[in-house]
Structure formats: C-alpha cells, structure tokens
Amino acid sequence: MTASKTLLAFILLTYDPAANAAVYYIDQTGGNDGNSGTSPSSPWKHSPGMAAYTGSGQLKAGDTVYFDRDDNWTVAGSPQGLFLAGGVSYIGDQWEADSGTTGYRAKITAGQDFNDNGVIRFTDHPTNQTLFKGFEVDVNNMSANGIDINHGFWRLMNGATKKVENVEVHHVFTEQSKGEYKYGIAMSNFGGSGGILENVEIINCSVHDIGRDAIVLYPNDDPNSRIGNITVRGCNVYNTGLDRDYAAGNGGHGFVIKGWVYNSTIENNYVHNVNSSAIFVSGPENNGKQRGADNVTVKNNILTTPSNNGIVRLYKNGAKQLKFHGNILYDNNTSGAFNLSGNAGTLDLLVYNNTFVNTFIELGRHSSTVNTFEFRNNIVQYTGNPLRNASAIQSRSNNLLVSADPGFKDTSKKPTGFIGDYGTDLRPNTDGLSLNAGSSAIDGGTALAGAFADSINSIPRPQGTAWDIGAYEYSSAGAMPMAPPPNLRIIP
C-alpha cells in the first residue's frame, strides 16, 4: 500500500462524525433561514432538506436538529417534503421556542402530491443512526407516502439504523384507478442487490386514515430484491383502505409483509379497525420465483379485524418461514384469526402460545408444501369449530380448543393497547384476557425453546411447574413479578 493510501485509510478509520457534530434549531414562527441556526435565539425558519430552505447551511452526520414542537411546516416544491440527511437526528418533541409546555409534536403537512415519494424521505449513513423522532406527519389527503424508506427512489441502504420513533402519520390519499399506490410508512427495495434496505426501526408510532395499507415491508418481485433486519414495535394502526377501489378488493391491511423480507420482527403493536387483515404475509406480486418471509417473527401483538381476509392471512407463492407467538387475536367470525387460503410454496410455520378469542383457525384451501408446521400452547375459544382443516399441522400439543371461557378474567375487557415499558413491564392495557387462578391453562403448556419464553405481559416462562397456555403467563404475585415503575404510559 502506498503512503498516500495508508494515510487515507488512517483518516477514514479515525474520523468520528460525532466529534464535529452541531446542534440546530428550527422555528417556523420566529426563525429566519439567514440565521446561524445554532442557538434557540437564532433559529432557522426551515430545515435543510425542505424546498423552502433558503440558507447556506448543510447538515452532516452526527448533527441534531430540533424543531419547535408548537409549529407546523407545510412542505411543497420538491420531489419529497423533507429529505433527511443520513446520520442526522431530527427531533420534534423536545424543544419549544417559547419555552412553554403546550407543544406535543412538531407538525409537517403536505402542501402537494408527491407522486412516488413521501412527505418524509430517508437516506442513511454507514455508521451514524438517522433518527426521525417526535413528529406529526399530516399527508393532508394528498397523494404521497407518509414516510418513504427506499420506496420512491431506491438506493443501497444497508448502513446504520434508520429509526422512526413517536411519530403520527395520517390522511394518506390514493386512487388505485389512477395508478396511485400510497401507504403510511413504506419500506422497499426496487433495485435488486443494489437497493438492499436493512436496519430499520419503527417504534411507538401511530398510523391511521390511510388510502391503502398502513405499514408495508415490500420489496419488488426481482428475485434479488430483499429487505431485512427490520423491527416494528409499539405502533397503533387503524382506519385503512380509504381508497374505495382498493377497499372493494379487500385491500387496506394493517401490516403487509410481501416478498423477500428477512430477519424481521413485528411486536407489541395494536392493529384494529382496518379494512382487511391486520397482518398480511404474501409472496411476490406476480407469483414468481422470489421467496417470501424469511425468518420473520410476529409476536406479542393485539390484533382484531372482522375482515373476510382473516386477522392474519398467508397468501400467494414464495417460501415462507414465520414464527407467530404470544399474540392476542379476537372477534372475527368470517374467515377467522389465522387463514391460509390461497397460500402456496414451501411453508415453515411455528404457532405458539397465542390467545384466540371469539374467533377460529382456518387452514384449508391452500396448496402449501408444508415443511414444518407446529401448533402448540394455544388457546382457541369459539362457539363453533375452533380449528378447521388442520391436516397441514404436522405437530400439535397442549392446546385448549374450547367453545366456552377457559378461565379468562373478564372477556368484556379486551385489551386495546399496551401500558408499561418495553423490556421491563410492557403489557396489555387491560387484563381481561389474562388467566384466573383456577384456569386449566395455567401450567398446562409444554416447554419450548428459550426464544419463545417471553409473554405478552412480560413475565418470563415458566412461573409455576410448566409453561402456561396462551399469550399470558400467570404469576401469583400479581400482574408482574416485580414492582411496577412509576412512569407507566400508553403506547399511542
């Protein structure tokens, strides 16, 4: 290696963007793009990445930008509303220009259609996290994705984490009849190996009033197009399928996991009042050779929809490897809580420790090649046949398939979200579907691998002589085996 190349390698290895990081402030009401932007008393009016920004400043990896949480920015005039710089933190819920306490989230409102782009568009950085936290994204009934992560214009995005946290996305307009396909939060890859998207976190967000589907993990049908290492946690999803044409075709899912999505987790979300399935796991659009879900985990969610697609639906071709455990699903008497109708391709499926209430399992009308299908430790309560066309199941044990109440605390108090903190005491906001002390589900399960030993109420299994059946683990000490912290919160 030459001396110049050695010096360059040393510089690249020792350069720390955080050491040169800056902090900026954005105040729509009192700011000026001619200001320095580096203090609350000299804020910019707009952010770099907005078409309206007229200043000369540029953001770099490691920078943090605080938006006045009392303000609203209407974005227009460019292919996207706000183009995030890779490695920068955008914070909309911590600073208030007038030093008050009334603001909740800074608001960014679409002032035009953005075609294939989003109101918010991500890039990434090789080593620095890109963070978009504490905003309301009002798509304002425009034709645009709310948040676009490699969807409209793809690029290789397998660098550091791209994180969306405490963000509300709403009122996405779209018309399928005009060739418009818009979503709340879209994570994609339309570039094969050159557009791989990895390392995404969507945390504690609210996505609602969406023309098509709320949150989509959706690479295209190129056999080399895939996305992975994605976590979606703590989101509240509702009111989808507002496009009448899409809704008429049973569209408007909560989550879509479509095509080759790998090593990803959907957990602790509340999906309700959606036009179609809460979770829709599909193979490629054209039923081609691309594979489907690859080591995808759906766990500890609360899911309900009366849709005739079923609460959870597996569909189309493409090999699928799915782990489904610790979830609560309730109130679907049309197509059931878990439906395989129309699924094809190789199937590896683990269904463990779920609680199905006032709904059934429908495993018929599919052409899957079942490699593995285990059904263990589940409660299925339904007044009719709770488990239908079950020949696809290769191994089943320790399930409660009942028409009557198997010992729930109070079925009139079904959970509608979560309280507590992730990693300590996160649990459903009501305990109506937890177990009474006399329930036969307590200690009635079989022991499974340690990866499945958590529960929807954050009590590790087992607490007694064996695992409990269903999503909850009972503790005689009460709701939690530890004292609850004082900062309980409801996930938005």
Side-chain angles (χ1 to χ4, degrees):
M1 181 181 288
T2 65
S4 61
K5 288 184 178 179
T6 301
L7 177 61
L8 176 60
F10 175 78
I11 292 172
L12 291 173
L13 288 172
T14 57
Y15 173 69
D16 180 8
N20 300 284
V23 176
Y24 297 98
Y25 298 86
I26 317 290
D27 179 3
Q28 167 66 18
T29 304
N32 188 307
D33 290 346
N35 290 341
S36 68
T38 55
S39 74
S41 61
S42 184
W44 288 329
K45 186 179 184 67
H46 305 94
S47 172
M50 293 178 177
Y53 179 69
T54 59
S56 59
Q58 294 183 344
L59 301 174
K60 61 185 183 300
D63 288 349
T64 300
V65 185
Y66 290 101
F67 287 66
D68 178 15
R69 65 186 181 185
D70 263 344
D71 257 330
N72 177 21
W73 288 259
T74 298
V75 290
S78 66
Q80 63 278 314
L82 172 58
F83 197 5
L84 306 181
V88 173
S89 294
Y90 297 78
I91 310 296
D93 58 356
Q94 293 183 15
W95 174 65
E96 199 163 320
D98 62 4
S99 300
T101 59
T102 58
Y104 181 42
R105 296 185 181 110
K107 185 175 182 180
I108 298 179
T109 302
Q112 68 175 57
D113 295 338
F114 287 111
N115 300 316
D116 280 335
N117 254 313
V119 179
I120 307 300
R121 180 183 169 197
F122 266 78
T123 51
D124 72 349
H125 185 270
T127 59
N128 280 64
Q129 173 182 263
T130 305
L131 174 64
F132 184 70
K133 177 180 180 292
F135 288 85
E136 177 185 352
V137 179
D138 182 359
V139 186
N140 196 26
N141 293 311
M142 300 293 177
S143 179
N145 294 314
I147 297 178
D148 179 318
I149 308 178
N150 215 30
H151 182 79
F153 295 94
W154 59 267
R155 61 176 66 187
L156 185 63
M157 289 183 65
N158 61 349
T161 300
K162 295 150 282 289
K163 187 173 185 178
V164 181
E165 184 177 2
N166 187 29
V167 171
E168 179 184 7
V169 179
H170 61 94
H171 286 96
V172 170
F173 180 79
T174 185
E175 287 187 283
Q176 181 173 285
S177 61
K178 295 182 179 180
E180 297 173 349
Y181 303 90
K182 311 302 177 192
Y183 309 95
I185 300 176
M187 293 163 275
S188 303
N189 169 13
F190 287 79
S193 297
I196 294 172
L197 172 67
E198 292 183 328
N199 309 322
V200 179
E201 296 181 3
I202 312 295
I203 308 295
N204 294 347
C205 294
S206 174
V207 185
H208 62 91
D209 293 283
I210 306 298
R212 289 180 71 83
D213 311 309
I215 300 176
V216 297
L217 291 70
Y218 187 5
N220 81 339
D221 298 332
D222 181 323
N224 293 310
S225 288
R226 67 266 195 196
I227 63 177
N229 302 333
I230 296 168
T231 297
V232 185
R233 177 192 307 132
C235 295
N236 183 9
V237 173
Y238 60 96
N239 206 20
T240 59
L242 301 186
D243 179 347
R244 288 177 295 179
D245 293 331
Y246 190 51
N250 289 324
H253 310 287
F255 285 84
V256 172
I257 302 164
K258 192 170 190 177
W260 191 359
V261 179
Y262 57 89
N263 299 345
S264 295
T265 300
I266 310 298
E267 62 181 349
N268 297 109
N269 303 285
Y270 174 42
V271 185
H272 58 106
N273 298 103
V274 291
N275 188 69
S276 193
S277 299
I279 308 282
F280 188 74
V281 184
S282 180
E285 184 69 29
N286 61 7
N287 265 325
K289 295 182 179 180
Q290 186 198 44
R291 69 157 298 134
D294 182 5
N295 190 31
V296 170
T297 298
V298 178
K299 69 172 185 174
N300 299 342
N301 300 281
I302 301 169
L303 310 172
T304 179
T305 171
S307 168
N308 61 12
N309 262 329
I311 299 176
V312 175
R313 179 75 177 273
L314 274 58
Y315 192 58
K316 287 192 175 181
N317 203 8
K320 299 178 182 71
Q321 184 188 58
L322 183 69
K323 301 168 186 174
F324 188 83
H325 67 98
N327 302 282
I328 294 174
L329 304 90
Y330 60 81
D331 293 348
N332 185 304
N333 60 12
T334 55
S335 293
F338 203 100
N339 194 301
L340 291 184
S341 179
N343 192 68
T346 303
L347 183 62
D348 288 272
L349 180 59
L350 303 179
V351 181
Y352 295 157
N353 275 102
N354 302 285
T355 296
F356 304 92
V357 179
N358 191 33
T359 188
F360 55 90
I361 311 296
E362 172 57 74
L363 303 177
R365 301 187 302 278
H366 68 95
S367 57
S368 312
T369 301
V370 178
N371 186 43
T372 303
F373 188 170
E374 295 187 7
F375 191 82
R376 304 184 189 278
N377 293 356
N378 300 288
I379 297 174
V380 189
Q381 180 273 316
Y382 188 67
T383 54
N385 182 3
L387 181 59
R388 306 177 183 187
N389 301 300
S391 61
I393 298 175
Q394 293 183 324
S395 181
R396 54 191 273 197
S397 67
N398 300 76
N399 302 289
L400 274 179
L401 309 178
V402 294
S403 60
D405 184 341
F408 297 130
K409 282 193 175 180
D410 186 348
T411 55
S412 70
K413 297 179 179 178
K414 297 183 178 74
T416 57
F418 290 87
I419 56 174
D421 293 301
Y422 181 80
T424 56
D425 67 339
L426 191 65
R427 60 194 185 275
N429 63 356
T430 66
D431 62 357
L433 299 182
S434 65
L435 301 171
N436 276 318
S439 172
S440 60
I442 295 174
D443 295 343
T446 186
L448 302 171
F452 306 102
D454 58 346
S455 64
I456 200 166
N457 54 328
S458 299
I459 295 178
R461 304 177 192 273
Q463 288 298 302
T465 58
W467 288 35
D468 294 350
I469 302 174
Y472 285 88
E473 181 71 9
Y474 176 82
S475 170
S476 59
M480 295 296 301
M482 70 288 285
N487 60 333
L488 297 181
R489 60 180 174 80
I490 299 177
I491 290 178

